[in-house]
Amino acid sequence: MTRRRGSISRGFRVPGPSVAALCALAVALVLAGCALAASSPVDLKSPQPKPPQGAAHPVHGSIAPERIVIIGDSLSTGYGTSPEEAWPRLLRHELHAASVPAKITNEAQNGAGYLTLGEEDATFASQISESVNASTDVVVLFGSDNDAGQDPAELRAALTDALEEITTLAPHARQIMIGPLTGFDALESDVTTIRDQERAAARDAGAEFIDPVAEQWVAGPDSPLLGPDGEHPSSGGQQFLAEKIRTVLDQHRVSSTG
């Protein structure tokens, strides 16, 4: 068969590279790879570079706010000043400014007591039933000298029922009972009776009890912490109460995380 110069006929094989040539090529490639590795080392096990100090960290979810319910009387409504100056609202502002997540519900009603009906026929018991639930973290009960003159045994029963209702509605909630602020309006003996019954009920229920009279939160009826009526907090008194009660809340928060 005749073949043209420079053409390859079907079935004719061009000789491939020899085994020796292939081996030489492989050795060259290996040596080149080693040289590259030596010049640019890569450690796959080394940790990722850390962000510069002070850099913001990603936030995975948000911290649930502490849910605080205030049960009380005119000491907690801003009576004599304004609702905007009431200590629960000032407390909310302070916690927000300190980046402490909190949701405060103020159920206090003027004239209310554990037994005594206040505005909207409210008692401390009705305030509890309308506001406390399983999501509540803290319940603060403040007062009340509105129960002056009530039978001590009936008052004690009402106090016990109130704390038991909180336990039923919010089993994990912290209970803080604060006694009457002063004895300047009601008879001192009546305020002492209320205070003593509250202390005993709190002790039996395992709740915290705070005694503003014994701790002398307010020195006397002429104190600048009281308004013109000598009974209800002034603007300065509302700020004082917000700081006092914030201290109580903060102490528990620190002890529970320490």
Side-chain angles (χ1 to χ4, degrees), residues 46-251:
S46 63
Q48 294 297 319
K50 295 182 179 179
Q53 190 171 3
H57 294 280
V59 177
H60 302 285
S62 58
I63 300 174
E66 186 175 46
R67 297 179 180 271
I68 304 169
V69 174
I70 311 300
I71 306 297
D73 56 17
S74 55
L75 295 177
S76 304
T77 64
Y79 183 89
T81 54
S82 69
E84 288 72 25
E85 293 181 276
W87 70 262
R89 181 164 293 192
L90 298 179
L91 175 63
R92 181 187 298 118
H93 293 329
E94 286 192 7
L95 294 176
H96 178 75
S99 299
V100 177
K103 179 179 180 181
I104 298 178
T105 302
N106 186 8
E107 287 292 314
Q109 292 287 347
N110 295 333
Y114 288 94
L115 288 171
T116 303
L117 294 176
E119 291 182 357
E120 302 180 11
D121 292 334
T123 63
F124 281 25
S126 67
Q127 294 174 33
I128 291 168
S129 64
E130 292 173 5
S131 61
V132 177
N133 55 51
S135 68
T136 303
D137 298 303
V138 183
V139 181
V140 178
L141 308 101
F142 190 6
S144 164
D145 63 5
N146 292 323
D147 287 320
Q150 297 282 1
D151 178 77
E154 292 182 7
L155 176 59
R156 175 65 179 278
L159 290 162
T160 299
D161 290 345
L163 294 173
E164 288 180 351
E165 180 72 357
I166 294 171
T167 300
T168 298
L169 296 173
H172 305 294
R174 177 187 178 194
Q175 301 178 14
I176 304 172
M177 181 174 281
I178 305 175
L181 182 62
T182 67
F184 308 135
D185 185 36
L187 293 175
E188 183 176 353
S189 59
D190 285 336
V191 171
T192 299
T193 297
I194 296 168
R195 186 269 313 274
D196 291 346
Q197 295 301 323
E198 288 182 339
R199 178 192 288 120
R203 179 193 61 224
D204 292 346
E208 299 172 54
F209 180 72
I210 298 172
D211 185 355
V213 175
E215 294 183 10
Q216 296 183 333
W217 284 13
V218 179
D222 297 327
S223 169
L225 298 180
L226 297 179
D229 64 1
E231 176 69 14
H232 292 88
S234 62
S235 297
Q238 296 287 359
Q239 184 64 52
F240 172 84
L241 291 175
E243 293 171 358
K244 275 286 188 182
I245 295 170
R246 180 187 172 182
T247 297
V248 174
L249 296 173
D250 286 349
Q251 286 173 343

